[in-house]
Amino acid sequence: MLPTIQHLRSILQNVIAQRYKQGYDTAGLQNELRKLPESYDALAAFAEKLESLPRRNDFGYEQPETLAEIFAACPPNFTRQRIGRRLSGAEAAARARSAFLGAVAGCILGKPVECDPTLEELRKALESTGDWPLRDYFSLRTLDALGRRHDSAATCCRETIRYVELDDDMNYIVTGLRMLELHGLDFTRCHLAKYWLENLPLYCTFGPERKFLLDAGLNWNWSPDAPVNEETIDRMRRRWVANDEACGAAIRVDSYGYACPGLPALAAELAWRDASLTHRFTGVYASMYIAAAVAAAPVLDDPMAIFEYAISCVPQQSYFAEVMRDAFDLVGKAADFLEGYAGIHAKYGEYRHCALYQECALLINTAKFARNTEEAICMQVSQGCDTDCFGKIAGSIMGGFFGPGSLPERWIAVFNDDFRVCPPEFTERSLSKVADRIAALPALTLDLPC
């Protein structure tokens, strides 16, 4: 069964709007789309046309796409060399484990309020139940006070947690882990695509990821006579995708950072391979930024330096880099966490759930003011937006930075060593044993001559 003509028109309307935001000349295209006949062929030809639009003269940003172009557009302080202190194998493993467990706790902490709240809304609800500042998983009483909740509250609140609930963030951490376990640092986008098709149910994906699986499932043949190739992947991610700068790719890259302590550029490169399967421009840059931050955190003593390196791994003249540099300055001038949030939210509050700019900026605010991993995940989730995804990312970054002992055991004990994810190929259900496998990832890079 094919999508309806009406549905495809709606997708193309959104693609045109997205292309305008990305700096392309879309003058007259909405009108042209309205005049197209009720024809799949006509819509397909129009979709192909949207792949080769010229840039507008008034668009003042550079948005490279290939890895070589991106690295060439990085600022002068970009380095592909190892940074920070050199970790022993045991130290690197311990920090990777801390980063992963911080990610798990941060994700589950944020799940019940994954309904795009603001800090002000969360603070009001938490104060009404005596839980501000946040220092534990959300209570059902707080969600009653908030007046809305995500469906996962049934298994992710203080009163209801018994295991690590299924979540796309955890599916993607496992997927990154498996790419590295199966293929090492040489995994390709084709390896990743095949793993997705075999292991990710449609209902556990969203946006460009779901579109990719639908498209790939209909059109790809894995026989030797019809191999998957890079050209096919690039064509798929350019066509019929309206939200290719949303957060979907940025939540997939933690494992690459775990594997690369002290090598943020390498983590960013691995993240590019993953993110560019489905996303473009900011969707890719944010993924590289996050992976670089996760990789830099375990070897640095200054939390703000984490983001100096992360920002250096994205194109200097992109809008994403401009916003992150501005956020870095805003947070640097803030007297406390709330002032840092206020400055960022006042300028970038239009970018809400999954829109990346505000959320990636708020990671800097968390890093500046958090004193341990527990405080970091609570601060990040308290800032609202995409609470589970960025609670998870904050846990990855700051768990690696602060290391073992910075997250009280009670945050992990509530899961009863029960870890649940979707990929059927991944049969491990012990959280502690999954953490052991994450802790083994830095061994892939510790002896690299860089």
Side-chain angles (χ1 to χ4, degrees):
M1 179 179 177
L2 291 173
T4 65
I5 295 287
Q6 181 181 7
H7 178 65
L8 293 177
R9 283 186 186 276
S10 176
I11 291 175
L12 290 173
Q13 287 172 353
N14 291 330
V15 170
I16 293 168
Q18 176 73 351
R19 294 294 174 266
Y20 180 82
K21 292 178 182 177
Q22 292 169 339
Y24 291 103
D25 185 354
T26 61
L29 289 178
Q30 294 286 9
N31 189 48
E32 183 178 339
L33 175 61
R34 284 192 290 271
K35 293 180 179 179
L36 288 179
E38 300 292 294
S39 161
Y40 285 106
D41 288 341
L43 291 176
F46 185 82
E48 186 172 354
K49 175 181 177 178
L50 297 182
E51 295 178 33
S52 55
L53 299 175
R55 294 277 191 185
R56 299 194 314 273
N57 291 331
D58 65 348
F59 189 71
Y61 299 99
E62 295 178 7
Q63 305 272 66
E65 291 206 72
T66 70
L67 183 64
E69 290 170 339
I70 288 171
F71 278 173
C74 287
N77 62 330
F78 171 72
T79 178
R80 302 193 73 158
Q81 300 302 305
R82 192 178 297 277
I83 66 166
R85 61 182 177 273
R86 191 69 180 256
L87 302 179
S88 69
E91 290 170 330
R95 286 185 179 267
R97 181 189 299 274
S98 295
F100 170 65
L101 294 177
V104 172
C107 176
I108 300 303
L109 173 63
K111 278 179 72 66
V113 293
E114 191 191 357
C115 49
D116 199 23
T118 63
L119 182 147
E120 291 78 12
E121 290 175 311
L122 288 172
R123 181 175 185 175
K124 181 179 179 181
L126 287 161
E127 284 180 337
S128 73
T129 58
D131 291 319
W132 179 266
L134 184 62
R135 286 295 179 270
D136 201 347
Y137 293 105
F138 282 92
S139 71
L140 292 169
R141 291 174 57 243
T142 297
L143 300 186
D144 289 340
L146 182 63
R148 64 187 192 277
R149 67 189 68 190
H150 190 269
D151 291 345
S152 61
T155 52
C156 296
C157 279
R158 199 179 304 170
E159 302 91 339
T160 61
I161 295 172
R162 301 294 182 272
Y163 50 84
V164 179
E165 175 61 273
L166 289 170
D167 185 83
D168 56 339
D169 294 87
M170 295 299 109
N171 291 339
Y172 291 132
I173 283 184
V174 162
T175 298
L177 169 65
R178 292 301 287 144
M179 283 298 99
L180 294 166
E181 288 181 334
L182 292 168
H183 307 290
L185 302 177
D186 296 323
F187 79 88
T188 68
R189 295 193 296 180
C190 296
H191 290 139
L192 188 64
K194 187 172 187 293
Y195 190 89
W196 279 28
L197 281 168
E198 293 173 345
N199 288 282
L200 290 183
L202 277 177
Y203 191 66
C204 292
T205 62
F206 304 89
E209 290 81 5
R210 187 173 294 184
K211 182 266 181 189
F212 174 87
L213 287 171
L214 286 167
D215 200 350
L218 284 171
N219 294 297
W220 282 11
N221 183 341
W222 293 99
S223 73
D225 297 329
V228 179
N229 58 54
E230 296 291 308
E231 182 181 351
T232 306
I233 289 171
D234 282 331
R235 184 169 64 251
M236 288 174 61
R237 73 191 179 105
R238 289 195 301 262
R239 193 172 299 179
W240 300 101
V241 182
N243 46 2
D244 52 10
E245 291 191 291
C247 76
I251 69 174
R252 305 195 314 238
V253 300
D254 302 66
S255 290
Y256 311 130
Y258 302 153
C260 299
L263 293 168
L266 178 57
E269 177 180 341
L270 301 179
W272 178 89
R273 284 185 224 160
D274 190 309
S276 65
L277 184 70
T278 53
H279 284 63
R280 301 176 74 189
F281 310 126
T282 289
V284 173
Y285 307 155
S287 305
M288 298 174 73
Y289 162 92
I290 288 167
V294 175
V299 301
L300 298 175
D301 297 319
D302 177 1
M304 295 296 277
I306 296 170
F307 292 94
E308 290 180 334
Y309 282 107
I311 295 169
S312 78
C313 289
V314 300
Q316 186 175 22
Q317 300 303 318
S318 64
Y319 180 60
F320 180 80
E322 179 180 288
V323 174
M324 294 309 108
R325 287 193 298 266
D326 187 37
F328 193 92
D329 291 341
L330 289 169
V331 170
K333 297 171 184 174
D336 57 29
F337 163 71
L338 292 175
E339 186 176 321
Y341 168 84
I344 291 170
H345 187 67
K347 293 191 72 171
Y348 302 109
E350 66 183 285
Y351 300 108
R352 299 295 295 273
H353 186 272
C354 294
L356 284 174
Y357 296 106
Q358 179 179 207
E359 295 165 320
C360 287
L362 291 173
L363 288 170
I364 304 173
N365 192 42
T366 293
K368 171 69 181 297
F369 294 106
R371 294 167 295 183
N372 50 56
T373 305
E374 176 183 50
E375 200 166 65
I377 61 175
C378 290
M379 279 184 173
Q380 188 66 41
V381 169
S382 295
Q383 293 174 109
C385 294
D386 191 354
T387 47
D388 68 323
C389 293
F390 280 81
K392 182 262 304 186
I393 293 167
S396 283
I397 297 170
M398 304 313 293
F401 178 76
F402 288 113
S406 66
L407 183 71
E409 176 59 26
R410 62 184 177 81
W411 284 90
I412 303 303
V414 295
F415 300 129
N416 299 301
D417 201 35
D418 189 350
F419 181 74
R420 303 187 183 186
V421 288
C422 285
E425 179 271 346
F426 191 82
T427 57
E428 183 57 71
R429 290 296 177 263
S430 162
L431 177 60
S432 60
K433 290 181 180 178
V434 177
D436 289 341
R437 290 166 68 171
I438 293 288
L441 291 178
L444 291 169
T445 65
L446 288 179
D447 293 329
L448 291 180
C450 53

